[in-house]
């Protein structure tokens, strides 16, 4: 989809729980105008669904590869998905 909203399903692995990854992700998403959600997964990873412009999502994915200062990201896997039209960005508590 050109010049429109894109949707990415993102899985982040490494030391990404207990390091304020979700809160920092929400801050970065809001700064970039990205909508969606972030949640911790039982396997220790973080799962994100993010919607925004291609350019903003690219910046967001680059940020996800670093995360907040105490995170140690091993891998970020993003796959394009179906646009849901989220209203905002939120932390989902599991």
């Amino acid at each position: 989809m050109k010049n429109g909203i894109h949707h990415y399903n993102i899985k982040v692995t490494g030391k990404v729980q207990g390091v304020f990854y979700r809160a920092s992700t929400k801050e970065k998403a809001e700064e970039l105008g990205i909508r969606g959600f972030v949640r911790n997964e039982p396997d220790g990873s973080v799962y994100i669904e993010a919607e925004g412009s291609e350019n903003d999502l690219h910046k967001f994915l680059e940020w996800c590869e670093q995360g907040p200062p105490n995170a140690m990201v091993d891998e970020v896997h993003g796959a394009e998905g179906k646009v849901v039209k989220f209203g905002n960005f939120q932390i989902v508590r599991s």
Side-chain angles (χ1 to χ4, degrees), residues 22-34 56 59-61 63-64 89:
R22 289 178 304 169
S24 300
T25 299
K26 184 177 192 303
E27 276 180 31
K28 181 50 90 171
E30 289 174 344
E31 177 187 312
L32 293 170
I34 289 175
D56 290 339
K59 290 177 191 170
F60 184 68
L61 281 166
W63 180 87
C64 287
F89 196 94

Side-chain angles (χ1 to χ4, degrees), residues 7-14 21 45-50 60-61 64-65 73-80:
H7 178 109
Y8 277 92
N9 301 321
I10 305 162
K11 182 173 181 169
V12 185
T13 58
Y21 199 98
S45 67
V46 169
Y47 178 72
I48 305 163
E49 288 197 23
F60 184 68
L61 281 166
C64 287
E65 290 174 6
V73 176
D74 290 336
E75 189 174 19
V76 175
H77 179 73
E80 202 146 356

